[in-house]
Amino acid sequence: KTKLLFIILAFNVCFVFSQKQSANWYFGEFAGLNFNTPNPTPLLNGKLATIEGCATISDPNGNLLFYTDGVTIWDRRHEIMPNGQNLLGHSSSTESALIVPKPGSTSKSYVFTIDKPSYYLTVGEPIEGVNYSEIDLSLNNSFGDVVTGVKNIHLVTYDTSDPIQNEYKSSEKITAVSHSDGSSVWVITQFMDKFYSFLIDGNGVNETPVVST
């Protein structure tokens, strides 16, 4: 029994650590790193140039899928996705983009974006806050595309009755954690004295957050 248990545990450990969705990083001014090798190696083929937030995702084997600065999405060929421009992130947002695979899907992901920080507020150029778009890698000959009608979908992360919050809409912070059910995901952002937690499951993004003070 002890030997069998050890084999099962060893298999589970190998399974967990074989997931390489974070094996490639593209960031900064055309910088990149590949963690598929024993020692990380430079990636010199990226098109991304940003001073702050960005995100990259690979498949479970460590093969690049796409990356983004929260404004533009590049596919694994380093070409802009057909509908992958004008997302509502910002080059000076600390967490301009966050990629979350859709639970239960092998081809779909969500890109959450956060717009520019408050000190960029100018007349006629409102802050867009938190938004999300859906990417389907089965489209565009399997190189991916932003799903029509599911681009820059706004998420309310502020008190709409408060004129100041309604103007600024969000902080620059966002993260994702696994749900206790083992498959769903919580996407969490913070503004003022509240945390806004959005559930992502097989049905998509629940746009009504759980609000915690």
Side-chain angles (χ1 to χ4, degrees), residues 20 35 40 49 54-55 66 68 71 80 155 159 201:
K20 296 182 178 181
F35 292 92
C54 51
F66 64 90
T68 179
V71 179
I80 296 174
L155 296 174
D159 182 351
D201 59 18

Side-chain angles (χ1 to χ4, degrees), residues 106-195:
T106 58
S107 64
K108 295 182 179 180
S109 294
Y110 297 104
V111 174
F112 292 83
T113 60
I114 299 187
D115 194 14
K116 57 200 170 191
S118 59
Y119 56 79
Y120 277 90
L121 188 64
T122 56
V123 175
E125 191 178 349
I127 293 173
E128 300 291 352
V130 181
N131 297 271
Y132 76 91
S133 303
E134 183 176 321
I135 286 60
D136 189 343
L137 293 173
S138 69
L139 302 176
N140 187 28
N141 296 316
S142 297
F143 291 109
D145 197 353
V146 179
V147 175
T148 301
V150 193
K151 180 178 180 180
N152 292 329
I153 304 300
H154 188 61
L155 296 174
V156 177
T157 58
Y158 50 93
D159 182 351
T160 56
S161 66
D162 184 315
I164 299 299
Q165 291 196 35
N166 198 58
E167 185 173 28
Y168 289 88
K169 295 186 176 65
S170 69
S171 68
E172 301 173 58
K173 310 304 178 187
I174 194 166
T175 190
V177 295
S178 297
H179 191 288
S180 60
D181 66 12
S183 60
S184 305
V185 176
W186 290 106
V187 167
I188 306 166
T189 187
Q190 171 269 330
F191 185 53
M192 305 296 286
D193 63 343
K194 301 289 193 300
F195 287 96

Side-chain angles (χ1 to χ4, degrees), residues 47-72:
K47 298 295 180 66
L48 186 151
T50 185
I51 59 175
E52 296 196 46
C54 51
T56 309
I57 190 167
S58 303
D59 68 18
N61 296 315
N63 300 305
L64 177 66
L65 294 177
F66 64 90
Y67 55 101
T68 179
D69 60 359
V71 179
T72 301

